[in-house]
Amino acid sequence: MTRVPAASSLQPVPGKPRPRVLSIAGSDPSGGAGIQADLKSIAANGGYGLAVITALTAQNTRGVTGVHVPPVEFLTRQLEAISADVTVDAVKIGMLGNAEVIGAVADWLGAHRPAVVVLDPVMVASSGDRLLDADAEAALGRLMALADVVTPNVPELAALLGEAVAADWESALEQGKRLAAEHGVSVLVKGGHLDGDISWDALVDLSGASASDVTVFEAPRVDTVNTHGTGCSLSSALATLLGAGLVPTEAVGAAKAWLLEAIATSSELAVGAGHGPVNHFHHGVLPSARDVAGYAADLWTTAAGDLERIYELPFIAALGDGSLEEADFAYYLAQDALYLNTYSRVLAAASSLAPTEAEQAFWAKGARECLDVEAELHRSWLVGREVSMVQGPETKQYVDHLLARAGEGDYAVLVAAILPCYWLYAEVGAVLFREFEQAGAPDSHQYAMWLRSYSDPAFAEATRQAIAYTAEAARRSTPAQWTAMQEAFAHSSRFEVDFFDAPSRRVPRGRA
Ligand SMILES: Nc1ncnc2c1ncn2[C@@H]1O[C@H](COP(=O)(O)OP(=O)(O)OP(=O)(O)O)[C@@H](O)[C@H]1O
Ligand SMILES: Cc1ncc(CO)c(N)n1
């Protein structure tokens, strides 16, 4: 009888398909900003891009030499052609040109509003050239009321409020809060135009989906002139990730992490002599969110082989039926307590590397819970027993592997190394507990309490979440990273087998 299912019940189900993301914006023939940047950002972040053009610019990396706004009736035709045929999951609005265009886009949104609307209130290009008539700024108020998130830079924030341009980050953030309150819309305040070693951004979130109303994101400021189109790229990435179902703080965190790398690797491109574009495809085109389940399934294939081995171990058979020698159990628990102490530090490292606040909180909670379980092991099982608290070789090889992955500082690889401890334990715990119940949950079973603790539904839920985060990290990884993730996972998975086998292998056998 095999106890290993073809798929774990904890694996994620296939997610949403590629979000269909519409950019309503102007054309930048140099490809770094506008529609051209939007389509690259959408593809790079896993979406399918559509584009409706509001205006043509004659522009390069040095500046804008002309703007042509086609008749607004033709803009409406383009918009109607899309909504007559395609379900749009998210829309990103960029350059609008004049008040008439703003009116046409607002009319269309009023009739066909997609689930996600991100408004980048483009007014002036990074070169200083105007991209919106000065008398049209007030008309943006109508569009803001139809948006989920508005993404002004520092000068745009001032223009939208009719106030002076903020001189520092604190005043910019205060202005962002005022704009959000005035228009009832979430605001992503962008600090790219300010000076300093840190490039600050903050999400003032009125959606109610975040733990707090204001989430601040800090990133090192890259010393580069290649910042053409950073705002366009960020707002399109954000629309794509919101369209894929991420909550706003996670979507901003992931979009920023992606953009930072695109800015940092921009020197790989050689486009123009002015403010060059960012490197949108630094990690290639992301697979769709639906593929997340595929990564988890691949990891399961590795884990399933090791689970088979675990179920064949004499230690597991004896633990399951309650016949395990107490000295073996004590040895196992002492090693588990030693292991959990280091595992807690490794989870804390994952928390510190996490790309989103939700993941940061999740791993930090796990780190804390390991210490609680370690303390409980000492209190309930180890106290009064004569047990050696020296790390056994199987424990040492396992924690050395985890600490080495933590030291390398690659979040995706680290969580892949962390995962087997959750996943194999949850599987083994659930199976042993089910069999214990099927045997009538005998009072005489010495290890019933232990079996109960690992079949806890909260632990299964945490495992499900850990698998989902690891699979999402895999989706965002490069092929080389994914290979490293698989290796790290396979090592930990094998070390789980050795860990369960260690009590039977220890020399000299006898008292623990
Ligand atoms: N040199 C930099 N290093 C790191 N991040 C940066 C840098 N410059 C801009 N950013 C980031 O890029 C994003 C866009 O910010 P910015 O304030 O430049 O928007 P913008 O002015 O609308 O952009 P655009 O250049 O497209 O007009 C923000 O997340 C900001 O923090
Ligand atoms: C078309 C277009 N849209 C937006 C910007 C803002 O960077 C730009 N330079 N060009």
Side-chain angles (χ1 to χ4, degrees):
M1 171 197 70
T2 176
R3 292 135 123 186
V4 183
S8 167
S9 62
L10 303 168
Q11 256 162 261
V13 289
K16 282 194 183 184
R18 243 170 234 291
R20 293 148 295 192
V21 185
L22 170 64
S23 163
I24 304 175
S27 160
D28 168 12
S30 73
I35 285 281
Q36 288 81 349
D38 294 346
L39 290 175
K40 292 173 201 179
S41 299
I42 293 164
N45 284 281
Y48 173 83
L50 304 95
V52 159
I53 301 189
T54 54
L56 306 177
T57 67
Q59 120 173 246
N60 57 28
T61 64
R62 289 191 268 210
V64 179
T65 55
V67 172
H68 170 66
V69 182
V72 75
E73 296 71 37
F74 200 76
L75 170 69
T76 302
R77 271 243 202 136
Q78 295 180 68
L79 290 167
E80 295 293 347
I82 296 303
S83 46
D85 185 33
V86 181
T87 303
V88 173
D89 299 301
V91 61
K92 170 255 152 97
I93 303 170
M95 173 182 175
L96 294 163
N98 62 39
E100 217 187 342
V101 171
I102 295 175
V105 172
D107 288 347
W108 180 79
L109 274 185
H112 307 280
R113 192 187 184 287
V116 173
V117 178
V118 176
L119 171 64
D120 184 10
V122 173
M123 294 176 185
V124 177
S126 10
S127 53
D129 302 283
R130 284 213 75 91
L131 297 172
L132 181 70
D133 291 352
D135 61 6
E137 284 171 8
L140 280 175
R142 194 174 152 213
L143 268 187
M144 273 197 274
L146 291 162
D148 295 296
V149 190
V150 186
T151 63
N153 62 23
V154 168
E156 288 159 356
L157 197 50
L160 290 170
L161 284 165
E163 296 179 7
V165 177
D168 54 34
W169 170 244
E170 286 69 30
S171 340
L173 183 52
E174 285 312 311
Q175 287 189 329
K177 289 182 195 166
R178 280 206 291 284
L179 188 71
E182 210 170 280
H183 292 273
V185 65
S186 297
V187 174
L188 177 61
V189 184
K190 298 179 298 187
H193 287 246
L194 297 166
D195 297 328
D197 294 344
I198 305 285
S199 186
W200 299 99
D201 295 296
L203 180 67
V204 184
D205 190 1
L206 302 190
S207 73
S210 305
S212 79
D213 295 350
V214 179
T215 309
V216 176
F217 300 85
E218 79 177 85
R221 184 177 296 280
V222 181
D223 185 13
T224 177
V225 292
N226 301 328
T227 53
H228 181 65
T230 47
C232 303
S233 303
L234 181 69
S235 55
S236 310
L238 178 59
T240 307
L241 296 166
L242 289 172
L246 267 68
V247 298
T249 44
E250 286 184 5
V252 172
K256 261 203 71 109
W258 165 80
L259 179 64
L260 183 64
E261 195 59 22
I263 299 172
T265 62
S266 60
S267 60
E268 288 177 19
L269 305 173
V271 183
H275 290 287
V278 303
N279 184 17
H280 293 97
F281 293 116
H282 58 85
H283 64 16
V285 178
L286 282 186
S288 88
R290 182 169 273 182
D291 297 334
V292 163
Y295 289 104
D298 278 2
L299 295 176
W300 177 251
T301 308
T302 305
D306 287 324
L307 257 186
E308 289 278 6
R309 290 186 193 96
I310 289 174
Y311 290 132
E312 284 160 11
L313 295 174
F315 174 84
I316 291 295
L319 181 62
D321 66 19
S323 66
L324 184 68
E325 297 240 352
E326 215 191 300
D328 282 349
F329 191 57
Y331 177 82
Y332 169 78
L333 291 178
Q335 293 303 312
D336 204 28
L338 290 165
Y339 171 86
L340 284 172
N341 187 279
T342 307
Y343 193 61
S344 168
R345 293 180 194 278
V346 172
L347 293 181
S351 170
S352 112
L353 293 168
T356 68
E357 213 174 288
E359 282 161 275
Q360 186 184 354
F362 174 78
W363 300 117
K365 184 160 178 269
R368 171 68 217 252
E369 282 167 359
C370 281
L371 294 179
D372 292 342
V373 174
E374 183 203 352
E376 184 57 29
L377 281 176
H378 283 289
R379 216 178 7 250
S380 320
W381 296 95
L382 295 169
V383 69
R385 283 193 162 97
E386 252 185 73
V387 198
S388 158
M389 291 310 290
V390 175
Q391 234 178 29
E394 295 81 4
T395 309
K396 180 163 167 40
Q397 67 172 1
Y398 198 173
V399 299
D400 282 355
H401 164 60
L402 292 171
L403 288 169
R405 300 294 82 74
E408 284 161 5
D410 183 322
Y411 175 74
V413 178
L414 178 57
V415 295
I418 283 173
L419 187 58
C421 176
Y422 278 86
W423 204 348
L424 297 185
Y425 250 80
E427 290 287 340
V428 171
V431 164
L432 291 188
F433 186 65
R434 200 176 330 122
E435 291 176 359
F436 165 70
E437 285 198 312
Q438 280 162 0
D443 289 341
S444 56
H445 198 298
Q446 305 180 63
Y447 308 116
M449 200 162 102
W450 186 91
L451 295 180
R452 262 183 238 287
S453 72
Y454 278 98
S455 63
D456 176 6
F459 183 58
E461 191 42 47
T463 302
R464 197 187 304 278
Q465 188 64 75
I467 297 168
Y469 284 146
T470 308
E472 178 56 27
R475 184 172 84 90
R476 307 196 146 269
S477 65
T478 61
Q481 258 179 321
W482 170 230
T483 304
M485 287 180 77
Q486 286 174 295
E487 262 174 41
F489 181 89
H491 277 123
S492 294
S493 181
R494 175 39 80 93
F495 293 153
E496 283 289 324
V497 183
D498 293 349
F499 196 89
F500 279 122
D501 196 27
S504 323
R505 286 200 215 159
R506 82 205 140 86
V507 226
R509 302 272 337 235
R511 266 188 16 183

